[in-house]
């Protein structure tokens, strides 16, 4: 953990500390024991669910359903003479979906291509993924995820896998810091600045309050590409591929939210790739959406594959409340609607990760 620093300012009146240091100092002044996360080792999951190179696609799909995970580190388990297992790479639910037939999630349909289920992980594992060490600062982990559009980062000590960090771990970190501010500074819930003459932390409250009071409207994407229920899978793929989106809100003719289509919904319905996809990690995995334009299933209307019952929030929803919803429901986006259910925007885990990133930067100059 990073040691606390004094809240000194430079000649320009800018605090040297980051928001997270200031929160720690405020808690110390109030004799509240709170140590915000600073490095990867503070937030990583140590209970790692792993698969081996010998696992088959069907085994991995069942494994992910059982453990409610969407990514898994892949290890090689050599024989006794060669020593212990070692980390090879990662595999995601998206990678698996792209190897199977349409509707293959219904594991007992008659036309399921059993050959696709029998592929081994060694054929599709993503090798040399972006990794972190236990000492990697959390902002670096977040930036790695954002820049590479990935949802999981393995954490290594030397070459040994010791943990993983997922987007849900990041969102949980945001929620926990927010909850601690709420507990240690209850006056902030009412938008008030505490009166504490002589307190060294008093000047920090206005800028901390601004972050604490953020609403989903302030961080959401307003210019959202939206489609209708009668548009096709081909049209959805075109948008996802060009824009590098992962979620497409579905609205009716009046702009009322009806559902959502995710890239997983799309991949679940595409035919097998028919070729070995790249085994190297690269941003967005755009090749997962490559498909023969003559494929009949591309004419499928989105109403057939979309999720209809969607959790949405109002623009005034607090960012922390949104983070809590995502954590509890294990979802990666929240459509934002008005009182009439018309779509206003969309907030994703990416937006919330950026909100957390702000906590680890130096506050701007406070104007009296």
């Amino acid at each position: 953990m990073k040691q606390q620093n004094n809240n000194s300012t430079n000649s320009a009146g800018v605090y040297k500390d980051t928001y997270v240091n200031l929160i720690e100092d405020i808690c110390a002044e109030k004799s509240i024991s709170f140590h915000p996360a600073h490095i990867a080792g503070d937030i990583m999951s140590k209970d790692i669910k792993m698969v081996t190179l010998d696992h088959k696609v069907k085994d991995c799909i069942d494994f992910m359903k059982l453990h409610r995970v969407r990514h898994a580190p892949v290890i090689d388990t050599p024989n006794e003479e060669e020593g212990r297992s070692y980390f090879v790479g990662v595999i995601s639910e998206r990678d698996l979906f792209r190897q199977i037939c349409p509707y293959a999630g219904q594991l007992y349909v008659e036309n399921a291509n059993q050959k696709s289920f029998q592929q081994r992980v060694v054929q599709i594992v993503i090798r040399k993924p972006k990794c972190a060490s236990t000492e990697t600062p959390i902002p670096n982990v977040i930036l790695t995820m954002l820049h590479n559009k990935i949802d999981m980062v393995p954490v290594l000590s030397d070459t040994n896998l010791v943990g993983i960090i997922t987007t849900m771990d990041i969102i949980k970190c945001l929620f926990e810091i927010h909850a601690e501010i709420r507990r240690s500074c209850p006056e902030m819930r009412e938008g008030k600045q505490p009166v504490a003459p002589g307190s060294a932390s008093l000047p920090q409250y206005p800028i901390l309050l601004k972050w604490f009071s953020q609403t989903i409207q302030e961080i959401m994407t307003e210019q959202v590409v939206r489609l209708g229920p009668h548009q096709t899978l081909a049209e959805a793929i075109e948008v996802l591929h060009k824009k590098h989106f992962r979620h497409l809100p579905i609205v009716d003719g009046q702009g009322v939210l009806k559902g959502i289509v995710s890239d997983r919904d799309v991949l679940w319905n595409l035919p097998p790739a028919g070729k070995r996809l790249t085994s190297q990690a690269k941003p967005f995995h755009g090749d997962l959406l490559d498909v023969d334009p003559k494929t009949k299933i591309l004419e499928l209307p989105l109403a057939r594959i979309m999720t209809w019952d969607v959790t949405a929030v109002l623009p005034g929803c607090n960012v922390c409340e949104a983070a809590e919803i995502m954590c509890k429901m294990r979802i990666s986006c929240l459509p934002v609607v008005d009182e009439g259910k018309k779509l206003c925007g969309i907030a994703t885990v990416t937006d919330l990760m950026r909100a957390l990133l702000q906590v680890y930067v130096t506050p701007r100059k406070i104007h009296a």
Side-chain angles (χ1 to χ4, degrees):
M1 292 291 182
K2 189 172 180 177
Q3 294 182 347
Q4 297 175 15
N5 299 314
N6 293 327
N7 296 319
S8 59
T9 60
N10 59 24
S11 58
V14 178
Y15 281 95
K16 295 179 181 178
D17 287 344
T18 62
Y19 286 111
V20 75
N21 295 136
L22 302 182
I23 295 166
E24 200 167 8
D25 286 346
I26 290 169
C27 290
E29 284 186 14
K30 296 189 174 212
S31 299
I32 296 172
S33 177
F34 178 59
H35 301 287
H38 289 284
I39 57 176
D42 296 336
I43 65 170
M44 70 183 189
S45 301
K46 298 179 183 178
D47 181 19
I48 313 170
K49 309 301 182 185
M50 297 177 285
V51 297
T52 71
L53 290 175
D54 292 324
H55 270 83
K56 296 176 181 176
V57 166
K58 182 182 181 301
D59 298 328
C60 288
I61 292 174
D62 292 341
F63 175 91
M64 289 185 179
K65 284 184 178 179
L66 174 65
H67 295 289
R68 299 185 66 197
V69 296
R70 290 179 172 176
H71 309 81
V74 179
I75 58 172
D76 192 8
T77 52
N79 56 43
E80 294 182 4
E81 290 77 18
E82 293 177 308
R84 60 184 180 179
S85 303
Y86 61 91
F87 173 67
V88 175
V90 298
I91 192 166
S92 73
E93 192 177 51
R94 292 182 178 93
D95 301 319
L96 296 171
F97 285 178
R98 198 58 183 93
Q99 300 301 320
I100 57 180
C101 285
Y103 312 109
Q106 303 169 24
L107 297 180
Y108 303 105
V109 295
E110 294 181 3
N111 64 344
N113 183 346
Q114 293 303 315
K115 184 178 180 180
S116 66
F117 282 123
Q118 299 307 311
Q119 290 183 88
R120 294 168 60 229
V121 170
V122 67
Q123 297 173 281
I124 55 177
V125 58
I126 301 298
R127 300 175 186 269
K128 298 181 181 179
K130 301 294 181 181
C131 298
S133 74
T134 55
E135 298 300 316
T136 301
I138 289 176
N140 292 29
V141 176
I142 295 174
L143 290 172
T144 294
M145 289 181 164
L146 294 177
H147 291 164
N148 295 280
K149 294 185 180 293
I150 54 178
D151 300 323
M152 189 267 277
V153 174
V155 182
L156 306 180
S157 177
D158 294 326
T159 58
N160 300 318
L161 182 69
V162 294
I164 62 170
I165 297 176
T166 67
T167 51
M168 284 298 111
D169 294 316
I170 301 293
I171 303 306
K172 183 180 177 183
C173 181
L174 168 64
F175 173 70
E176 289 177 346
I177 291 176
H178 209 286
E180 185 54 43
I181 297 174
R182 191 167 49 201
R183 183 175 75 91
S184 58
C185 304
E187 58 276 6
M188 282 196 177
R189 279 178 267 175
E190 301 176 9
K192 297 179 180 178
Q193 178 176 329
V195 178
S199 170
S201 65
L202 182 59
Q204 302 156 14
Y205 279 98
I207 199 163
L208 189 58
L209 177 60
K210 183 178 180 182
W211 178 82
F212 179 80
S213 304
Q214 269 188 320
T215 65
I216 210 70
Q217 187 172 24
E218 297 176 68
I219 69 167
M220 72 181 187
T221 300
E222 293 186 47
Q223 302 301 318
V224 184
V225 177
R226 58 198 76 189
L227 297 177
H230 301 298
Q231 291 183 264
T232 65
L233 186 59
E235 291 173 286
I237 290 174
E238 183 179 6
V239 175
L240 293 172
H241 204 291
K242 287 183 177 180
K243 301 291 186 179
H244 286 188
F245 291 158
R246 287 184 173 172
H247 306 90
L248 288 173
I250 308 300
V251 301
D252 65 13
Q254 287 70 48
V256 175
L257 180 70
K258 291 300 180 181
I260 201 160
V261 168
S262 72
D263 61 341
R264 287 185 176 86
D265 297 323
V266 171
L267 293 170
W268 196 241
N269 287 277
L270 293 183
K275 62 179 180 179
R276 181 175 178 175
L277 301 173
T278 177
S279 62
Q280 299 297 316
K282 65 180 184 179
F284 192 68
H285 292 227
D287 54 345
L288 289 179
L289 295 172
D290 289 344
V291 63
D292 184 345
K294 296 180 181 178
T295 302
K296 192 71 175 175
I297 203 168
L298 293 179
E299 299 173 8
L300 191 71
L302 297 179
R304 296 275 300 275
I305 69 170
M306 62 188 265
T307 300
W308 287 83
D309 186 16
V310 180
T311 299
V313 296
L314 296 172
C317 175
N318 185 273
V319 166
C320 180
E321 294 172 7
E324 185 175 12
I325 291 171
M326 285 192 182
C327 281
K328 288 184 176 179
M329 301 190 68
R330 299 182 69 82
I331 55 178
S332 53
C333 82
L334 282 171
V336 184
V337 298
D338 63 16
E339 297 288 352
K341 304 296 183 182
K342 287 190 176 182
L343 186 69
C344 302
I346 190 170
T348 67
V349 289
T350 296
D351 299 312
L352 292 185
M353 287 197 294
R354 289 196 181 107
L356 178 61
L357 195 58
Q358 295 175 21
V359 185
Y360 292 92
V361 301
T362 303
R364 295 178 181 176
K365 182 178 178 180
I366 299 173
H367 298 285

